[in-house]
Amino acid sequence: MSTYVISDIHGCFDELQDMLKIINFSIEDKLIIAGDYIDRGTQSYEMLMWVEDKPANVILLRGNHDEEFAYCVDLMGVMFEKKDLPVDSLEATEVIYDLLRELAETKLSVGAFDYYGTIGKLIRERQVTMERLDKWNDIIREMPYVHREIVNEKEFIIVHAGYIEDLDKVDTEDSYETKEEFFLNARDDAYMCGGMPGGIIIAGHTPTIFENELPYNNGDVYSFYDEELDCKFYNIDCGCAYKTKCKTAKLACIRLEDEKIYYV
């Protein structure tokens, strides 16, 4: 039995399937995915359908893109309730989506609702109704933010962006109202302020293909060791969804037993 971690699939469903073949993933193994299943890539629908019917030995964590998706679906749900519309109606789903999109662009800002247009594409290209959006929303709302795994007497913490034990004791670069916001959105703070004594943090969120970002590693997995904290960090977001723009972008996976890295 082996335990694997993947993060930031971002609609790259085919690459996920290729990765599962490369690692020979079986029912004896465990897979933990550290969030961001959708947006950017072209296969958000396939990813959401897979998430809906995932294998029992797969643990799904929440990412910031998943959180934003759920927030948008919540807004749509409020409008459906106010207007008493049938959730299985594609026409009603389109009407409410267009209304909220228009409100966001005129009253708030462009991109304040469904920034990547993923929900709109699901509705128009895949005929997804509010009923199924609600189902996916329920699944996301059940996803934990953090998962702890003990392997070979080592404690791994898997999280989408960064892990911190107490926000009150550190001076972070960005502001976070809750630890959950840190878990979902931390970038440089994940390494400068986060971590756990004696632990190993595995996260994603910030692609390692961007030269101006701390975890830059030319599209390979980034690792960092904090001697003072005795904590090792891995960033396994290798920017797979940017593969058409960046030749070093790829999907990464780490096996916890020996910290071996796999790429697609």
Side-chain angles (χ1 to χ4, degrees):
M1 172 182 172
S2 296
T3 305
Y4 301 93
V5 182
I6 298 173
S7 186
D8 294 86
I9 298 167
H10 281 299
C12 295
F13 179 75
D14 288 344
E15 286 80 357
L16 171 63
Q17 297 307 304
D18 289 343
M19 180 63 78
L20 296 180
K21 292 175 183 176
I22 287 173
I23 64 176
N24 294 314
F25 187 66
S26 73
I27 59 173
E28 302 298 325
D29 300 318
K30 181 187 293 185
L31 173 64
I32 304 155
I33 304 182
D36 280 7
Y37 310 92
I38 59 171
D39 298 337
R40 294 201 177 103
T42 61
Q43 296 175 297
S44 290
Y45 175 79
E46 288 83 355
M47 276 307 310
L48 286 166
M49 291 299 291
W50 186 84
V51 163
E52 181 180 325
D53 195 31
K54 71 171 182 63
N57 55 337
V58 174
I59 296 171
L60 303 178
L61 306 184
R62 196 183 313 191
N64 64 302
H65 284 250
D66 316 309
E67 181 96 338
E68 290 156 12
F69 175 91
Y71 169 76
C72 292
V73 175
D74 282 344
L75 288 179
M76 292 180 66
V78 170
M79 298 297 287
F80 263 81
E81 287 186 13
K82 283 185 176 181
K83 296 181 178 295
D84 193 25
L85 297 171
V87 294
D88 60 350
S89 167
L90 180 60
E91 181 181 3
T93 305
E94 289 179 320
V95 168
I96 293 302
Y97 175 84
D98 289 341
L99 175 61
L100 285 170
R101 189 76 170 178
E102 182 179 352
L103 284 172
E105 293 179 358
T106 57
K107 303 295 184 181
L108 301 172
S109 63
V110 176
F113 176 80
D114 192 27
Y115 179 83
Y116 293 91
T118 297
I119 296 175
K121 290 177 182 177
L122 290 169
I123 295 169
R124 291 187 170 87
E125 297 176 9
R126 296 290 189 164
Q127 288 73 55
V128 169
T129 66
M130 186 66 198
E131 187 173 36
R132 188 165 291 278
L133 291 174
D134 270 334
K135 187 171 186 177
W136 290 334
N137 189 14
D138 290 343
I139 293 171
I140 291 170
R141 293 299 185 191
E142 290 295 319
M143 292 178 184
Y145 293 94
V146 178
H147 178 79
R148 296 173 183 263
E149 191 79 21
I150 305 295
V151 177
N152 295 336
E153 300 182 352
K154 295 179 181 179
E155 183 170 9
F156 294 86
I157 293 183
I158 298 95
V159 65
H160 179 63
Y163 178 78
I164 197 166
E165 295 190 312
D166 191 347
L167 277 172
D168 297 330
K169 297 179 180 180
V170 295
D171 182 19
T172 58
E173 183 178 280
D174 294 318
S175 298
Y176 311 92
E177 292 187 6
T178 64
K179 288 197 296 183
E180 286 74 20
E181 285 189 16
F182 191 96
F183 298 156
L184 289 175
N185 298 306
R187 294 197 188 275
D188 290 4
D189 286 330
Y191 310 99
M192 308 309 295
C193 306
M196 183 192 69
I200 301 173
I201 312 298
I202 300 179
H205 185 54
T206 306
T208 65
I209 59 174
F210 297 141
E211 294 186 25
N212 60 336
E213 297 287 355
L214 176 59
Y216 172 70
N217 195 27
N218 197 32
D220 287 343
V221 167
Y222 171 84
S223 64
F224 166 74
Y225 177 66
D226 186 326
E227 292 186 7
E228 182 177 351
L229 200 59
D230 184 27
C231 180
K232 189 172 186 178
F233 296 83
Y234 282 103
N235 184 312
I236 61 171
D237 178 4
C238 296
C240 184
Y242 295 95
K243 59 187 180 297
T244 58
K245 299 178 181 179
C246 177
K247 63 180 181 180
T248 62
K250 56 184 80 76
L251 185 67
C253 175
I254 183 169
R255 183 169 62 195
L256 301 191
E257 281 71 18
D258 54 4
E259 298 171 47
K260 180 178 179 179
I261 307 294
Y262 300 84
Y263 294 112
V264 168

